[in-house]
Structures are given as structure tokens and as C-alpha cells.
Amino acid sequence: MTKAVRFAGRLLVVAAGVTWLLWLRWRVASPMHSLIGPAVLVLEIGALIVAAVISAALWLPPAGGPSGAQRRAARQAALPDTVALALCLDIGDRPRQTVVGADDTGEVAWARHGIRALHPTSLRGPDRPGLGEVAWSMVAIEGMRRMLGVAVVVAVLFSGTSPFEVPPMEVMALLVASQLLLTLGHYLLSDGLIRPGARLRWSMASIGAGFGDGTSRTGLPIRWTSTLATMVVLNLVVSLRGLSDRWTHGLGAMPHDERVMAMLAAAWLVSWGFIALRSLPQPELGYYGATRRLEETSTRRLALGATLTVAAIGLIAGVLPGGVPA
């Protein structure tokens, strides 16, 4: 990597930090609604800390560097392997030594290894991990943070209470700019290994990894099932909110602008869920179910297609102006 590329990456990361802090200044000063507002703020501060640690780990060039063959293999590898390569970490098979469940997957094992490395006793112990391994561990547990974010979006749409008021366009531009600058900065600092959108795709593909014992009780892959279930839940809650505010009024009324903001956040997560599903191994179980008449592939496509259809209807109903509460 040339010095000019690394300097540009550092500059983008610094600019991302400045714009993100400006956004957080507005967030702290804006009124927070119910308990959801502080919860979202905690998640945002946590995301900033994660970004800062990863940026610090990528700031200085690691000793050595990946070979051409390793770089080509990284394009198809999961994000923890790619980050380990970018930071020249020798993770090896240590994460997989934490496997307990018969159907445990790499994502669950990585998350467990990350949790153990980030435990306070590990961080204070004589064998505490270095900055690179701390950054790697934060990437490995991204699925846990993503699940908490999804839970907040679901809670907002169900309760009809937004965590904060709708920001002005110039303030929203600060948040968008910070994320774009950060992902481009990490792309340059990692010499092109950590691609834009890789962390978001990984967090959706590993959503919830680290919670529970990581054992499948249905015969379906854990991570594939969790990602699919997350998309179905988000689709359903978007449809319920849109139909409620437009026609049924079964849920408490939600102001139009706040409703649109929450719905677009849910739709954004669903779109990345589709991208994540493409990176996960597809289960091949043949005819699946009690009746043995619905082929499993057709069943999952039916579930996704049906919920996506009702979500589209609810999204249109929620975004269009009007809809008077009962």
C-alpha cells in the first residue's frame, strides 16, 4: 500500500469521526422519547466505539502483508477471516475450539471467541489481547449488536414511539456522510480487503450469533434461519404499522415523518438481509415439513415472498401522506 493511499484512508477516517461526533452532539441535545431514546443512543455510542477501535487497529500498517493468493481467497471468506488477514492476525482454529452444539457454525464460534476476548477479566489479565485482536473480536460479535438494533426498530414500529425527533436534512446528511467516509476509509486502510458494506452484510449474516447455545433444534442451519426469521419479522412489523395507521388503527398512532423514518430503517435492514442470505449456505432438505408435500426451498421462498408483499403494501400505506388515526 502506498503512503498516499494510507494517508487518504486516515484522512477519511478522521473526517468520519468529526461528522459522527457532530451528529451525536445533535442527538444528545434533541429530546428523547420514552426509554427507547436512551437505548438507541447507547447503541450509537457503542457503534462509534467499535468504529474507533477498528480504525485504530488499521491506522498503522501491520508487519508483513497478505499474498496475492490470500487476497483472492479473502474475497470469498467471511469477514472475521478478512479482518484477521488485514490486521495480520493468526487467529487459526482457536475460535472453532469453542464449538459445543452439534450444528454450531463458524459465526457462532467466532462470536464466542470474541466475547471471551472482550471479557473484562481477559482485558485486564496478563495475557490480554492486543489492539488488533480486540478489533477482530468486535467484528466477530457484530451480529449481537445488529440483533439489538433490529429489536429497537421492531419496538419503535410496534409502540409508535420514535426514539428521537426527525432530524433536519443537514443533520441527517452528517450521519450519512460519516458512514460513507468511514467505510471508504476502512477500505483504503485495509488495502481493499474490507469492502464497503462488508460489515453490514456480515452483521446480518451472523445476526444473534453469541446469544444462546448455538445448537440447532430444527435441523436447519442456525445462521440461515436467524437471518430469514429476522427478515420475516421486519416485513411483518412494517406491514402492521402501515396498515394500522392507514386503515385498521390496531396499534397506537405514529406521526407520519417518524413512521417513514422507522419504516425505511426496517426496509434497509431487509434489503441487506437478502444480500446476506446469498452469502450463506442454502439448506437442502428436500421435502420438508409434517405433510411432506411442500418442498423446503419453495416453502422458504413462499414465506419470504408473502411477507415481502405485505410489507410493500404496508410501506406504501405508511409512506403516503394521510391516514387519520381512529
Side-chain angles (χ1 to χ4, degrees):
M1 185 192 308
T2 65
K3 292 183 177 180
V5 172
R6 181 163 294 279
F7 177 77
R10 291 172 176 173
L11 191 62
L12 289 173
V13 166
V14 171
V18 171
T19 52
W20 202 339
L21 288 174
L22 290 174
W23 158 264
L24 283 179
R25 186 182 68 173
W26 178 88
R27 281 281 289 110
V28 172
S30 64
M32 299 187 192
H33 304 160
S34 70
L35 294 177
I36 299 179
V40 173
L41 183 60
V42 169
L43 289 177
E44 291 184 70
I45 294 175
L48 178 60
I49 293 173
V50 171
V53 172
I54 296 175
S55 300
L58 293 171
W59 190 268
L60 294 175
S67 63
Q70 289 176 318
R71 293 179 62 85
R72 288 190 293 272
R75 296 174 183 174
Q76 305 298 327
L79 186 60
D81 281 338
T82 304
V83 171
L85 184 63
L87 298 175
C88 294
L89 294 176
D90 183 18
I91 299 299
D93 291 331
R94 283 180 291 162
R96 292 168 180 81
Q97 295 172 0
T98 63
V99 173
V100 177
D103 193 43
D104 206 345
T105 58
E107 290 86 350
V108 177
W110 278 318
R112 290 176 180 173
H113 183 75
I115 292 170
R116 189 169 65 239
L118 294 173
H119 194 276
T121 56
S122 299
L123 293 175
R124 292 195 300 265
D127 298 327
R128 58 181 177 271
L131 178 61
E133 189 163 354
V134 170
W136 181 93
S137 299
M138 288 184 170
V139 171
I141 63 171
E142 285 273 69
M144 301 176 69
R145 191 166 59 87
R146 185 62 58 198
M147 176 165 276
L148 294 175
V150 169
V152 167
V153 173
V154 171
V156 167
L157 288 171
F158 262 123
S159 66
T161 302
S162 177
F164 51 87
E165 63 185 20
V166 178
M169 289 300 297
E170 59 273 16
V171 176
M172 180 61 73
L174 290 173
L175 178 62
V176 175
S178 68
Q179 303 310 302
L180 291 177
L181 292 170
L182 183 67
T183 190
L184 290 176
H186 286 175
Y187 176 75
L188 294 180
L189 289 177
S190 65
D191 199 12
L193 288 173
I194 303 177
R195 297 183 174 185
R199 284 181 57 198
L200 185 51
R201 183 182 67 177
W202 162 255
S203 66
M204 289 300 295
S206 61
I207 192 164
F211 293 121
D213 59 7
T215 303
S216 173
R217 294 171 178 80
T218 63
L220 291 169
I222 302 172
R223 303 277 37 89
W224 182 90
T225 305
S226 298
T227 302
L228 180 65
T230 300
M231 297 168 65
V232 169
V233 168
L234 286 170
N235 284 336
L236 290 176
V237 74
V238 167
S239 65
L240 287 174
R241 170 51 59 189
L243 296 177
S244 173
D245 283 356
R246 177 66 56 176
W247 294 299
T248 64
H249 308 296
L251 302 175
M254 190 173 187
H256 176 268
D257 291 346
E258 296 178 357
R259 179 175 70 236
V260 171
M261 182 174 61
M263 282 183 160
L264 291 179
W268 173 253
L269 291 172
V270 170
S271 64
W272 278 99
F274 276 106
I275 297 174
L277 278 182
R278 296 186 61 183
S279 67
L280 292 171
Q282 301 296 309
E284 298 293 342
L285 301 180
Y287 285 83
Y288 178 78
T291 63
R292 316 294 292 183
R293 294 184 179 181
L294 281 178
E295 199 250 336
E296 190 273 335
T297 302
S298 300
T299 303
R300 69 172 182 253
R301 288 176 179 172
L302 178 62
L304 267 180
T307 57
L308 186 61
T309 300
V310 296
I313 296 173
L315 182 63
I316 294 172
V319 169
L320 290 176
V324 180

